[in-house]
């Protein structure tokens, strides 16, 4: 086999292998953005500041959406960090923040608190 015919055989084989590796390679895990977290939970701000007695439906819908969007540890840690930073910048009632998931009838796998260590969230 001459070098020209070897190249004709090897190039398609290499391209096929590269293509297969790209297909079966796991997708990189990307964390939820802080902008998404804030926009999702924005309807809760007045409630968290102690303005209302019960969280509004739009707030609970946002919390449910956030719970669904944080399926990986990286997403939960990113959302936790974002909420922690937001709670330090916006004066919120810590008790209302901690009870928000329960008051909305959901389970959030991380607390809404400015004292939580978000790096320990799994």
């Amino acid at each position: 086999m001459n070098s020209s015919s070897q190249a004709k055989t090897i190039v398609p084989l290499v391209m096929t292998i590269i293509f297969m590796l790209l297909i079966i390679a796991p997708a990189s895990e990307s964390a939820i953005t802080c902008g998404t977290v804030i926009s999702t939970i924005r309807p809760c701000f007045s409630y968290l500041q102690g303005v209302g007695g019960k969280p509004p439906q739009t707030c609970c819908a946002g919390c449910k959406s956030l719970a669904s969007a944080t399926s990986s540890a990286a997403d939960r840690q990113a959302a936790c960090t974002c909420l922690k930073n937001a709670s330090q910048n916006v004066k919120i009632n810590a008790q209302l923040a901690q009870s928000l998931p329960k008051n909305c009838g959901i389970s959030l796998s991380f607390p809404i608190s400015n004292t939580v260590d978000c790096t320990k969230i799994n």
Side-chain angles (χ1 to χ4, degrees), residues 40-95:
T40 302
I41 205 153
R42 187 177 311 271
C44 301
F45 284 173
S46 62
Y47 168 77
L48 292 172
Q49 291 172 333
V51 177
K54 191 172 142 182
Q57 181 59 30
T58 55
C59 169
C60 290
C63 288
K64 289 176 186 173
S65 175
L66 181 61
S68 296
T70 54
S71 58
S72 71
D75 288 334
R76 289 187 290 276
Q77 288 176 0
C80 173
T81 300
C82 182
L83 292 173
K84 181 178 178 177
N85 292 338
S87 72
Q88 292 170 343
N89 295 328
V90 177
K91 186 178 178 186
I92 65 168
N93 180 314
Q95 289 178 320

Side-chain angles (χ1 to χ4, degrees), residues 55 60 63-64 99-108:
C60 290
C63 288
K64 289 176 186 173
S99 64
L100 180 61
K102 179 183 170 199
N103 290 340
C104 284
I106 64 163
S107 176
L108 197 58

Side-chain angles (χ1 to χ4, degrees), residues 8-32:
K8 289 179 184 178
T9 305
I10 292 176
V11 170
L13 178 63
V14 170
M15 294 302 289
T16 302
I17 291 171
I18 290 172
F19 179 72
M20 289 175 63
L21 288 174
L22 289 174
I23 289 175
I24 63 172
S28 64
E29 191 173 8
S30 64
I32 191 169

